[in-house]
Amino acid sequence: MSSDRSKLTIQTMSYAYSTAGIVIIGAGMAGSRFAIELARAQQQSKSPNNQRPLPITLISKEPEVGYNRIMLSPVLAGDSAFEDTYLYQQSDYEQLGIVVLAGIAVTAVDTKQQSIKLDNGQTLVYAKLVIATGSSARVIPFPNYDATGVHVFREVADVNALIEYARQGKKGLVIGGGVLGLEAACALASQGADMTVIHVDSYVLNRQLDLPAAQLLQAELALRGVGVKVSAITDYIAVNDQYEVKGLSLKDGRTLPADFIVMAVGVMPNIALARDCGLEVNRGIIVDDCMHTSCPHVYAVGECVELDGELFGMVAPVNQQVDTLVSVLKDTRLSGDSLGSKENWQPFRSTPLSLKLKVSGISTFSAGQVDFDDEEAAAIETITYQQTSINHYHCLYLRNNKLIGAVLYGEVNEGSFYSQLINSNSDIAPIKADLIFGEAYCDLEKVTTDSEANGDMYNDSDLDLLSAADIVGAAS
C-alpha cells in the first residue's frame, strides 16, 4: 500500500470529482474499514432494475492510508516494519472501485449544498457524507509544552522522530502511565533510550488494574530498564536557552533531566470540522444508534463520535459502528437516493467491555469495576489467587454473589469466562468456591443469569485498544 501512493491519488482524482457519491472523511482504522466493508456489501447486495450503487471516495489527510495505529508500538520497538501495519493493500481499494485521495485535507463542509472543500482548491459534491476523523493526542499546555523535544505518540511522523532519540541513547520522560505511555517507554528503552514514566496517580494503569497487579507490572518494567515515578505532578517543562527540552519540573520541587518528553495523556475526538459545519457536538460528534448525525445525509463513526454521553476508543465498538453504518448505506443507489429498508439496519448497541492488554509482552486483563471508593469497598468481597514464583495474580471482585470485576496478571486465559459472567449478571453463589480456578472447575449448569442480561454471555469480549490510551487521560 505504501508504494506508488501518488499514482493512486492522481489516477483517481478526475473520477472522484465527477460523481463523489458516498464520501468518507478520514482513512484511519474506522474510515478505511468502512470503505472496504461497504464496497463489499454493495457487491453482494441485490438491487432492483440493476441500479448502480453509489461510488465511494475515501479521503486521507495523511499520505499513509488505513494503517493500524495499534501496531505503531511494535514499529517503535523495531519489532515490525511500518509496511506491516496497513489494514488493506492498494489493490483491495482498486479492485473494489474505491477512490482514494491520499495526503489531502478537507477544509470545509457545506451541508446545505452537500459539498466539501479540499486543501488543493477542489470541491466535491456528496450524496452521503461519513465523518471518520478519529481523535488526536491530548496535549496538556504546561509551560514550555511547545518546546523542541516535546512529542506525542500518535502518527508515523511521531514514530520516526522518537526512534532517532532512542538510537542516540537519549534520556526520555513519558508523561502518563496508561497503556500508550508504557508501550512507548518500553519500545524506546528497547531501542537504546534511557526511559522513565511519570504518572500522576499512585500506580500505573490505575484505570485498568488494582494495586497488586500494578506493582507486579512496575517491577517488571524496572527489569526492562524503564523507571516509574508515581504520584508525580508536572509543574513545567524545563528548557535551555535554545528553547529545547532539558528536563521536567515537578510540583514537589524535583527536576528530572531529559533530552525529550513524550506526552501520553489520552486522546480527544476530532470534532472541529463537524462543529464548524453546524453539526451537534459535545465531547464528540453526536450520533444516534444508526450513526446519523444531526444533519440529513451526514453520518459519523469511530473515535470522533459520542452516543448517549459515551466516547469510544476500542476496536470492537468501532467495528460494530462500521457494521451498523454498512447496514444503513449498503443499498443506497444512484437513482432515488433511498437507504433501503430500515428492517435491515443493525442498530449499534454499546455493551460493557473487557480489556486484554499486552504491555510489551506482559499480559494483563481487566473487566468490570475494579476501583471503589470507601463506601463501595465495604460491600465488596474479593477472591484472590497469586503464584509469586511466576508472577501470576488473579483477583475477582464480587457484590451480592455477582461477579462485578476481574483483574488478571501474567496468565489471562480465563478473562473471557469472567467477562461473560460479569456481563450476564450471573448469580455465582453455587460456583463461588471454585470460581478463581477458572471455567473448567465450575459447574455452569448451576449458574443462573439475569433475565435482563444482553445476549452476549458466550461471546468473547476480549478487546484490543484502538487508541492505546484513555479517551480523556488524567493530567500528569
Side-chain angles (χ1 to χ4, degrees):
M1 181 73 197
S2 58
S3 61
D4 207 14
R5 179 91 48 188
S6 60
K7 181 180 178 182
L8 175 63
T9 304
I10 293 170
Q11 283 186 333
T12 61
M13 203 166 278
S14 61
Y15 173 69
Y17 297 143
S18 61
T19 309
I22 297 174
V23 175
I24 305 162
I25 303 176
M29 295 176 70
S32 59
R33 183 175 183 272
F34 174 71
I36 292 289
E37 293 303 321
L38 178 62
R40 289 171 175 168
Q42 286 178 337
Q43 288 185 348
Q44 297 171 1
S45 178
K46 295 181 180 180
S47 63
N49 303 320
N50 293 320
Q51 294 176 336
R52 287 196 297 129
L54 287 172
I56 300 169
T57 300
L58 178 65
I59 304 174
S60 172
K61 183 178 180 179
E62 291 185 77
E64 300 82 14
V65 177
Y67 63 88
N68 185 348
R69 294 189 193 278
I70 297 172
M71 293 300 296
L72 289 182
S73 292
V75 174
L76 185 61
D79 295 331
S80 298
F82 177 73
E83 288 71 21
D84 298 330
T85 68
Y86 285 111
L87 298 169
Y88 308 101
Q89 299 299 315
Q90 177 173 325
S91 59
D92 295 326
Y93 298 98
E94 293 174 342
Q95 290 171 6
L96 290 167
I98 298 169
V99 176
V100 178
L101 305 181
I104 297 176
V106 176
T107 59
V109 175
D110 186 335
T111 57
K112 293 182 179 179
Q113 298 297 321
Q114 292 188 209
S115 65
I116 62 174
K117 291 185 178 180
L118 307 178
D119 64 357
N120 62 4
Q122 298 288 342
T123 298
L124 269 66
V125 175
Y126 65 82
K128 305 293 179 185
L129 181 66
V130 177
I131 300 177
T133 46
S135 60
S136 297
R138 183 177 180 227
V139 175
I140 301 175
F142 299 122
N144 304 322
Y145 76 94
D146 56 348
T148 301
V150 179
H151 297 268
V152 295
F153 177 34
R154 182 69 180 163
E155 299 180 352
V156 185
D158 304 321
V159 172
N160 294 334
L162 293 173
I163 285 176
E164 286 304 310
Y165 289 111
R167 287 174 177 170
Q168 297 172 40
K170 298 291 187 178
K171 179 182 289 292
L173 301 176
V174 175
I175 301 177
V179 180
L180 183 65
L182 299 184
E183 285 281 10
C186 289
L188 289 167
S190 71
Q191 291 273 58
D194 180 358
M195 299 303 301
T196 300
V197 174
I198 311 300
H199 192 52
V200 68
D201 288 290
S202 57
Y203 58 89
V204 299
L205 288 183
N206 54 289
R207 296 186 178 188
Q208 292 87 14
L209 303 182
D210 56 16
L211 179 57
Q215 289 174 331
L216 289 171
L217 177 57
Q218 288 169 190
E220 179 61 30
L221 292 173
L223 293 176
R224 297 181 182 213
V226 176
V228 176
K229 304 289 186 184
V230 296
S231 300
I233 303 174
T234 297
D235 188 12
Y236 64 91
I237 295 171
V239 297
N240 60 22
D241 293 339
Q242 287 74 47
Y243 203 55
E244 299 168 332
V245 168
K246 71 174 185 179
L248 188 71
S249 291
L250 305 179
K251 293 284 189 181
D252 61 11
R254 288 179 294 168
T255 296
L256 306 177
D259 300 306
F260 68 99
I261 290 173
V262 182
M263 282 201 201
V265 289
V267 296
M268 303 294 287
N270 292 325
I271 62 173
L273 191 66
R275 182 188 59 232
D276 292 347
C277 73
L279 298 186
E280 182 182 358
V281 300
N282 185 30
R283 292 185 298 160
I285 303 169
I286 303 300
V287 296
D288 65 13
D289 61 2
C290 286
M291 315 319 296
H292 299 92
T293 69
S294 58
C295 180
H297 310 297
V298 181
Y299 307 80
V301 291
E303 291 184 277
C304 62
V305 309
E306 178 179 343
L307 175 61
D308 296 332
E310 185 178 2
L311 300 175
F312 305 90
M314 310 276 269
V315 171
V318 169
N319 284 346
Q320 292 165 13
Q321 292 171 14
V322 167
D323 294 340
T324 290
L325 191 52
V326 168
S327 74
V328 172
L329 293 182
K330 67 179 182 179
D331 294 320
T332 307
R333 302 293 161 178
L334 282 172
S335 61
D337 193 31
S338 65
L339 289 174
S341 174
K342 291 185 178 181
E343 295 179 357
N344 297 323
W345 294 5
Q346 302 168 12
F348 170 75
R349 180 184 58 176
S350 179
T351 56
L353 300 176
S354 61
L355 186 63
K356 182 184 287 185
L357 308 176
K358 200 160 215 179
V359 183
S360 296
I362 308 166
S363 295
T364 64
F365 174 89
S366 175
Q369 184 180 1
V370 300
D371 186 29
F372 308 91
D373 59 32
D374 292 340
E375 183 177 348
E376 290 176 317
I380 300 301
E381 178 183 359
T382 60
I383 304 175
T384 303
Y385 166 82
Q386 186 164 4
Q387 194 168 353
T388 307
S389 61
I390 54 175
N391 284 338
H392 284 182
Y393 167 83
H394 294 178
C395 186
L396 307 179
Y397 294 87
L398 290 76
R399 182 169 54 215
N400 299 326
N401 285 325
K402 303 290 180 69
L403 182 63
I404 63 169
V407 172
L408 311 179
Y409 179 92
E411 200 288 312
V412 299
N413 291 334
E414 296 295 336
S416 296
F417 170 57
Y418 294 136
S419 179
Q420 291 158 10
L421 293 177
I422 293 169
N423 291 345
S424 63
N425 201 28
S426 301
D427 182 350
I428 54 85
I431 61 171
K432 183 189 293 188
D434 300 313
L435 188 59
I436 195 68
F437 302 112
E439 184 175 8
Y441 293 86
C442 298
D443 185 355
L444 296 181
E445 292 183 357
K446 297 179 180 179
V447 175
T448 58
T449 61
D450 192 324
S451 60
E452 296 298 318
N454 63 56
D456 298 330
M457 178 176 177
Y458 294 103
N459 289 339
D460 186 347
S461 57
D462 296 336
L463 308 175
D464 292 317
L465 278 179
L466 181 57
S467 300
D470 297 314
I471 287 292
V472 181
S476 298

